[in-house]
Amino acid sequence: MSSSRTIGGFRIKGAGRLTPARTARFTFDGKSYTALEGDTVASALLANGVHLMGRSFKYHRPRGVLSAGAEEPNALMDVARDSARRQPNVRASVQEVFDGAIISSQNRWPTLAFDTGAINNLLSPLFAAGFYYKTFMWPKEAWAKLYEPIIRRAAGLGVAPKEADPDHYANRFAHCDVLVAGAGIAGLTAALSAAETGAEVILVDERAEVGGALLFDGTTNINGQPGFEWAQEAAARLEAMPNVTVLTRTTVFGYYNHNFIGLVERVTDHLPRPGRHLPRERLWQVRAKKVVLATGSIERHMVFANNDRPGIMLASAARTYLNHYGVSVGAKVGVYTAHDSAYEAAIDLKRAGVDIAAIVDCRSEPGEAVVSAARSLGIEVLTGHSVVDTSGRLRISSMTVARNGSKNTRKIAVDALLMSGGWTPSVHLFSQSRGKLKFDKANDRFLPDLHVQDCVSIGACNGTDDLSALLAEASAAGGGPISISGTSAYAWTGGMIGAAEGAGKDKTVKAFVDFQHDVTAKDIRLAVREGMHSIEHIKRFTTNGMASDQGKLSNMHGLAIAAEMLGREIPQVGLTTFRAPYTPVTYGTLVAHSRGDLFDPARKTPLHGELAKAGAAFEDVGNWKRAWYFPRRGEDMAAAVNRECRTVRATAGVFDASTLGKIEVVGPDAAKFLNLLYTNAWDTLKPGKCRYGIMTREDGFIYDDGVVGRLAEDRFHVTTTTGGAPRVMAHMEDYLQTEFPDLKVWLTSTTEQWAVIAVQGPKARDIIAPLVDGLDLSNEAFPHMSVAECTVMGVPARLFRMSFTGELGFEVNVPADYGAAVWKAIWERAEGMGACLYGTETMHVLRAEKGYIIVGQDTDGTVTPDDAGLSWAVSKKKTDFVGIRGLKRPDLMRDNRKQLVGLLTRDPIEVLEEGGQIVADPDQPKPMTMLGHVTSAYWSENLGRSIAIGLVAGGRARMGETLYVPMKDKVVEVEVADMVFFDKDGGRIHG
């Protein structure tokens, strides 16, 4: 054996697929090491003789790498490029080494070898499963001062970075005919098959190279060539096809409704000096017609005393480190197994020159072929034996073996111990798709059964072990004409989770089921004794299979031990929920571009540029930037609003109303549909007319309001509140698709398609008339609440005669691209007539003067149309609409409900605070009985006094009554008044 060797781990010359001439330097806990390009952090550390890679979460026990894949629970590292680019909890088995990488271990102090937190291991009797549910309940007052700070400091493994993330992330949407998750033998075959049909195919694999199990399995041949070589050629062939996208270093982390798949592509995490133009990671959101799950299977560990020492790992992991990375995990290696596949790891290591101390097989009759092959190489095979304990402090030094049922033990010196309890099909994504599983009792495993979505599971994740059957299954899943054949040296047998059932009966030893959370077999047993009989309860009591692990390694053992304790079959105990993400996903990837200014993207109307030129001060209304007011030199906000209010009433004002929600409701049943969604009747509305509409929820409370114009028998232009547009659209779609699917109606959101220019005031008609082509705007021809399609300055337009100010008003709707040009023309005329631009604050004052409500400000989700003084908008003839039953509930018909009324302060210059509470007696003891609260309050320049609107219990019966609004430093007297403060007869609105 030729090797570059250090104590306990070494790289074997000529082994593996990495190129020795291409190296990378990195540091681990401050010490420098050399790796080969393509190494993972785990393989590089093992090659340098480092097995101690971390400390466990609860007991701070020494831990080494357990696996070679995404299921790794132990070797979680802090990986950094510099002080600003640092990522905690990175799996060493997945992270590729790059030149200059700064790697640090976690969850230890002061050093990895000497961790003071290891005292927890000595105090472990105090930390039995569920201890936190019992310990931190008393004394009650100690929680905030004592327990919570300690728990918060102890929570988690890594330390989250405090610096701003300097990297950027990308987001991509894609559609395909077939998405194949997993690029092992099955996935590659299915992708080739599907691609041959001309289908758009996306093939995804989380590793840097395709091949799956072929990365470690050198005994399989496909189409007459070594399996790994065939896999690389198959991938190259797929990448050359224009209808195929191959994504490596990409994890399918979530499977959602309607074949919606979430992927995370690690774009630059492996590069030493990534270009600034490249994102660190890319989020793919894919909608696939069909999903092929070829996610393989995960090797099970063995549950025995002290099975967590550094140097103990899965047999397939050791085989991967040897055959792919050229690294031996030890110089004297033991094997403990309940499955034939572990023999192949021993055989590969032996042939590479590594001393195999013994293969310990807890079965009495393992596969004859693998046993013969092992013994022919001089390997001792102990069938019907078990490993009952291990020794070693920071690294395993020996395993203690006993014949099953015997108390006589034998200690065998080893520096690494490989284990295999069989293989668990990786059904996480299938379960996320809401598929139902079945239990394969013969092999102690759950398999996909009932598919809810258009997907198919193939290969190892489907329990297909035979290579020929796997190839046929994968080819059929792709649906194309392809012929692939293969051979493998051994046929695997065995795999017993029953081997774990007896573990944990000795309460003095720790036999770990969940390495990440330090859950032992005795913890599972304790949970059952404490009354946890559901696996979901056991999971939460013990934390088995929680967090990033999601039960990849621990679930089946936990189930087996619980089933044994309960005297039930495993399926009767149940199976925990496999939640997305399959493996952890960074916040940066999920957020992508939504950070900084784009965290909550501002929406700007087509007129925003013109408003900014005019000096508008803007406010945020939802995501919209709306003109708040237009200050002139020397004016503060109050002065500007007062001027705007006076000008609109005296002359005219121009306002940007583009943010109003707009929905096109079209179809022969459009009026019938609106009849069902609104409280008003719409079949009586004639084309060319508008009507104010109230929309209620099923409980009868106001949901939204707006003006609806009927353009034709089968077409309505619906407006909604600015903030309500998305939810009203969703509300309509929900009812159309689920409750009224028989109606022939089509809904289209047109909010951003129309620029809306509101012209309000006595001179509004004079301002726009010369710009409107072919439409008589007189009161007789075009009265209030009319709508017409016309042209304005030659631009197709919809003109509404409506008002939210109580003045003569028009709203000009033109296509968004023409908005600025039409605005300029209208403003040029308006400015020449002495009009003004006005913003949302002035609009609020003017509408309050007229008693018009704003849904969401004057309503709070508990206000009915009658409470708001809008009972006239509820049809008395309609037999059905959304909310009709809710409105008939006795509680919603009480006379003393809170009702919207006007409020006038005794001191006319006193402006109430919105939200102020209203009481009948300000001298009553606290807590006072509240009658309601102030919903809107303003100074009205046109009235020369303050005005307010409030919700008051039995408000309409209290007209003229004096009530009180207690403020922080005084009590304000108010008189209950009518909500309409200005132009009570409404003459101005009719021009």
Side-chain angles (χ1 to χ4, degrees), residues 444-785:
D444 285 336
R445 60 188 180 183
F446 283 95
L447 298 176
D449 187 17
L450 300 177
H451 290 71
V452 175
Q453 305 192 48
D454 187 2
C455 74
V456 59
S457 298
I458 61 173
C461 72
N462 195 43
T464 307
D465 301 319
D466 180 74
L467 181 58
S468 297
L470 180 151
L471 292 169
E473 183 177 75
S475 179
I482 188 171
S483 177
I484 300 177
S485 61
T487 60
S488 187
Y490 305 104
W492 289 351
T493 62
M496 305 189 304
I497 56 174
E501 290 176 3
K505 290 184 177 179
D506 184 348
K507 298 180 182 180
T508 64
V509 301
K510 294 182 177 69
F512 287 91
V513 174
D514 184 326
F515 294 92
Q516 188 163 100
H517 301 96
D518 277 341
V519 179
T520 64
K522 67 180 180 182
D523 290 331
I524 305 292
R525 295 181 181 279
L526 175 62
V528 176
R529 288 198 299 272
E530 294 273 2
M532 311 295 161
H533 293 176
S534 162
I535 195 61
E536 290 287 3
H537 291 160
I538 293 170
K539 172 181 177 178
R540 282 153 183 79
F541 191 77
T542 64
T543 68
N544 186 59
M546 293 182 72
S548 63
D549 178 70
Q550 284 298 300
K552 295 180 184 68
L553 289 170
S554 59
N555 246 14
M556 293 307 297
H557 288 312
L559 281 171
I561 296 168
E564 179 204 8
M565 285 286 291
L566 292 167
R568 300 177 185 172
E569 295 294 325
I570 287 176
Q572 294 177 313
V573 180
L575 188 64
T576 57
T577 302
F578 295 107
R579 292 180 175 86
Y582 173 71
T583 55
V585 179
T586 64
Y587 284 116
T589 303
L590 297 177
V591 170
H593 299 297
S594 301
R595 54 194 290 194
D597 291 338
L598 299 178
F599 174 71
D600 198 21
R603 300 177 71 182
K604 298 179 180 179
T605 75
L607 310 177
H608 184 88
E610 297 303 315
L611 302 178
K613 290 179 186 177
F618 291 94
E619 69 167 336
D620 295 325
V621 181
N623 288 98
W624 288 104
K625 291 288 185 182
R626 300 198 71 181
W628 196 6
Y629 59 98
F630 292 83
R632 292 179 180 174
R633 181 174 297 178
E635 287 184 336
D636 59 10
M637 178 177 174
V641 171
N642 289 340
R643 173 181 51 77
E644 291 170 13
C645 287
R646 289 194 307 269
T647 305
V648 172
R649 295 279 187 223
T651 307
V654 183
F655 176 73
D656 178 10
S658 303
T659 62
L660 283 175
K662 295 172 277 292
I663 301 171
E664 200 89 351
V665 181
V666 182
D669 294 326
K672 185 177 180 180
F673 176 69
L674 292 178
N675 269 344
L676 291 167
L677 266 292
Y678 283 86
T679 63
N680 321 55
W682 299 97
D683 45 4
T684 59
L685 185 67
K686 296 180 180 179
K689 298 298 180 181
C690 304
R691 182 168 290 162
Y692 173 76
I694 292 286
M695 179 181 288
T696 57
R697 304 188 309 239
E698 290 183 353
D699 54 16
F701 298 126
I702 294 175
Y703 189 62
D704 203 78
D705 70 343
V707 173
V708 178
R710 190 168 193 171
L711 301 171
E713 289 292 335
D714 62 348
R715 184 178 294 271
F716 290 82
H717 180 114
V718 176
T719 65
T720 74
T721 57
T722 293
R727 58 182 170 83
V728 170
M729 182 70 184
H731 180 76
M732 286 183 165
E733 281 285 8
D734 183 25
Y735 276 94
L736 180 59
Q737 294 182 32
T738 62
E739 302 297 327
F740 316 126
D742 55 311
L743 298 183
K744 296 180 179 179
V745 180
W746 292 269
L747 306 175
T748 306
S749 173
T750 59
T751 299
E752 294 183 334
Q753 275 60 52
W754 295 100
V756 183
I757 305 163
V759 185
Q760 307 280 306
K763 293 187 179 181
R765 182 185 291 111
D766 297 335
I767 290 171
I768 70 166
L771 305 176
V772 179
D773 302 322
L775 184 64
D776 184 354
L777 298 184
S778 66
N779 274 332
E780 296 74 22
F782 200 64
H784 180 58
M785 297 303 277

Side-chain angles (χ1 to χ4, degrees), residues 4-11 46-49 51 328-331 395:
S4 171
R5 182 171 179 173
T6 58
I7 297 174
F10 47 89
R11 201 179 296 274
L46 289 172
N48 284 278
H51 276 259
S328 172
V329 298
R395 169 84 180 276

Side-chain angles (χ1 to χ4, degrees), residues 68-276:
E71 66 272 21
E72 176 56 41
N74 288 339
L76 303 181
M77 306 291 188
D78 187 290
V79 179
R81 293 181 182 275
D82 50 49
S83 60
R85 289 177 168 85
R86 186 172 63 80
Q87 177 73 22
N89 295 322
V90 177
R91 290 153 293 159
S93 56
V94 174
Q95 174 66 51
E96 296 170 69
V97 171
F98 56 86
D99 196 57
I102 305 167
I103 316 294
S104 302
S105 57
Q106 303 180 152
N107 201 44
R108 83 293 186 278
W109 188 86
T111 67
L112 186 57
F114 181 75
D115 177 17
T116 57
I119 193 174
N120 287 3
N121 192 47
L122 299 175
L123 300 176
S124 59
L126 301 177
F127 301 134
F131 76 95
Y132 30 80
Y133 295 121
K134 305 167 186 176
T135 306
F136 304 125
M137 300 299 290
W138 58 271
K140 185 177 180 180
E141 59 274 9
W143 171 257
K145 295 181 179 180
L146 177 62
Y147 298 141
E148 186 178 16
I150 294 174
I151 292 172
R152 287 193 178 279
R153 282 196 298 270
L157 286 172
V159 178
K162 297 179 180 179
E163 300 84 357
D165 187 352
D167 291 314
H168 70 280
Y169 302 80
N171 186 21
R172 184 169 294 178
F173 294 89
H175 293 78
C176 65
D177 297 310
V178 181
L179 183 139
V180 182
I185 300 174
L188 287 167
T189 302
L192 286 167
S193 177
E196 289 296 332
T197 69
E200 292 289 331
V201 178
I202 296 178
L203 174 64
V204 183
D205 195 272
E206 63 189 357
R207 293 182 181 271
E209 296 179 271
V210 302
L214 295 174
L215 269 71
F216 65 77
D217 183 5
T219 67
T220 298
N221 288 282
I222 308 292
N223 284 351
Q225 64 183 130
F228 185 80
E229 292 180 14
W230 169 84
Q232 305 314 302
E233 290 184 10
R237 176 181 166 191
L238 286 166
E239 289 175 340
M241 301 175 77
N243 58 320
V244 178
T245 301
V246 178
L247 297 174
T248 54
R249 298 187 179 91
T250 303
T251 301
V252 181
F253 69 83
Y255 192 158
Y256 306 97
N257 288 340
H258 306 292
N259 273 0
F260 184 74
I261 308 295
L263 317 175
V264 170
E265 180 186 5
R266 303 184 301 277
V267 181
T268 62
D269 279 354
H270 62 292
L271 300 177
R273 287 169 290 279
R276 296 177 63 87

Side-chain angles (χ1 to χ4, degrees), residues 20 206 215 301 337 379 397 523-524 809 990:
E206 63 189 357
L215 269 71
H301 65 283
T337 185
I379 301 174
S397 60
D523 290 331
I524 305 292
H990 297 289

